[in-house]
Amino acid sequence: MSDEAFIDLAEHIQESLKGSVESYSILAGELVLQVDREKIVPVLQFLRDDRESAFKVLVDVCGVDYPEREERFDVVYNLLSLNQNQRVRVKVRTSENIPVPSVTGIFSAAGWFEREVWDMYGIYFSGHPDLRRILTDYGFEGHPLRKDFPLTGYVEVRYDDELKRVVYEPVKLTQDFRSFDFLSPWEGVTSVQLPGDEKGMKQDHGWTDYRKEKTS
């Protein structure tokens, strides 16, 4: 689809939904709409039902975290029109304290998608019929895809044979952080002698250790 066609479609959507679409852009061959958070339901309903749009398939709903912003999260809706052979990306901004209206009444597939965004980012969807975690375990602390979530998490889960139940424990690293120098397997280890190292040394012919030459 050409840029001119994308612009025509964006202007048609803006004209039909006055005040709902804040801005639009064309990115990686797709139309991207920035939409007022409170208008997301009528916008998606229009994109689904309008004959010139016909975006009847909700492919995905995902979150993006920008911690430096006051409204740190984007909620992104990816739509597909089979009739028009087009895709559109709809984005709204929000924060951890401001809910986004659920679109489960427009697309039933949004039920699990919104639960995943809630689980991973902590973005609340008002009006969702069953908003609870879907990927993490019951009692899980925090939201793993937030930029400030620790890489090791907070707790680890295991089954205790003696207690015959699942137990939660503080995270314990089994080894310290390792620093790699990105050398080849033959050059990477210089502190110990490994089987086969003798092939790189031929002192009888006056050759020296190739590894030592490289590091000197």
Side-chain angles (χ1 to χ4, degrees):
M1 190 174 184
S2 65
D3 288 355
E4 291 78 9
F6 277 130
I7 294 173
D8 290 342
L9 177 60
E11 290 179 349
H12 166 68
I13 295 171
Q14 277 190 318
E15 180 66 24
S16 302
L17 299 168
K18 295 184 182 299
S20 298
V21 179
E22 299 173 349
S23 62
Y24 69 86
S25 60
I26 301 169
L27 181 63
E30 289 187 16
L31 177 63
V32 182
L33 304 176
Q34 187 71 45
V35 172
D36 181 350
R37 178 179 57 247
E38 299 301 323
K39 303 292 181 58
I40 185 61
V41 172
V43 167
L44 292 193
Q45 184 167 5
F46 174 83
L47 292 176
R48 184 194 68 181
D49 298 339
D50 178 62
R51 295 183 62 181
E52 294 187 29
S53 303
F55 291 100
K56 296 185 179 297
V57 180
L58 177 64
V59 178
D60 187 27
V61 180
C62 57
V64 188
D65 186 12
Y66 299 94
E68 68 281 359
R69 292 188 340 202
E70 182 176 356
E71 292 185 331
R72 63 183 289 182
F73 299 116
D74 276 354
V75 181
V76 184
Y77 305 82
N78 294 294
L79 304 177
L80 169 66
S81 173
L82 296 175
N83 291 343
Q84 308 292 343
N85 191 25
Q86 298 174 14
R87 294 176 183 267
V88 66
R89 190 177 309 153
V90 182
K91 302 168 65 175
V92 301
R93 289 189 177 187
T94 190
S95 68
E96 55 189 320
N97 299 319
I98 302 176
V100 176
S102 173
V103 298
T104 52
I106 308 299
F107 295 103
S108 59
W112 280 19
F113 293 150
E114 290 178 353
R115 283 179 60 187
E116 182 178 348
V117 175
W118 158 250
D119 196 356
M120 295 293 102
Y121 292 93
I123 300 172
Y124 187 79
F125 292 90
S126 60
H128 191 286
D130 186 23
L131 192 63
R132 54 191 170 94
R133 293 187 183 273
I134 190 172
L135 297 178
T136 58
D137 192 22
Y138 297 107
F140 189 88
E141 297 181 19
H143 303 280
L145 290 187
R146 287 189 178 185
K147 295 291 181 63
D148 51 7
F149 188 82
L151 294 179
T152 56
Y154 295 105
V155 296
E156 58 185 358
V157 182
R158 66 178 180 85
Y159 181 79
D160 191 297
D161 285 329
E162 295 181 358
L163 299 176
K164 302 300 181 185
R165 64 180 178 86
V166 174
V167 296
Y168 295 81
E169 297 175 337
V171 171
K172 297 179 182 178
L173 297 180
T174 56
Q175 65 180 25
D176 293 333
F177 175 77
R178 296 177 60 189
S179 203
F180 297 93
D181 53 10
F182 301 102
L183 297 176
S184 73
W186 291 272
E187 300 175 44
V189 180
T190 57
S191 58
V192 295
Q193 190 80 3
L194 297 176
D197 281 358
E198 65 277 3
K199 296 179 180 179
M201 301 176 64
K202 294 189 177 180
Q203 297 178 352
D204 294 342
H205 298 278
W207 293 11
T208 58
D209 189 344
Y210 173 74
R211 294 175 305 161
K212 294 180 180 178
E213 287 183 349
K214 294 286 288 186
T215 56
S216 61

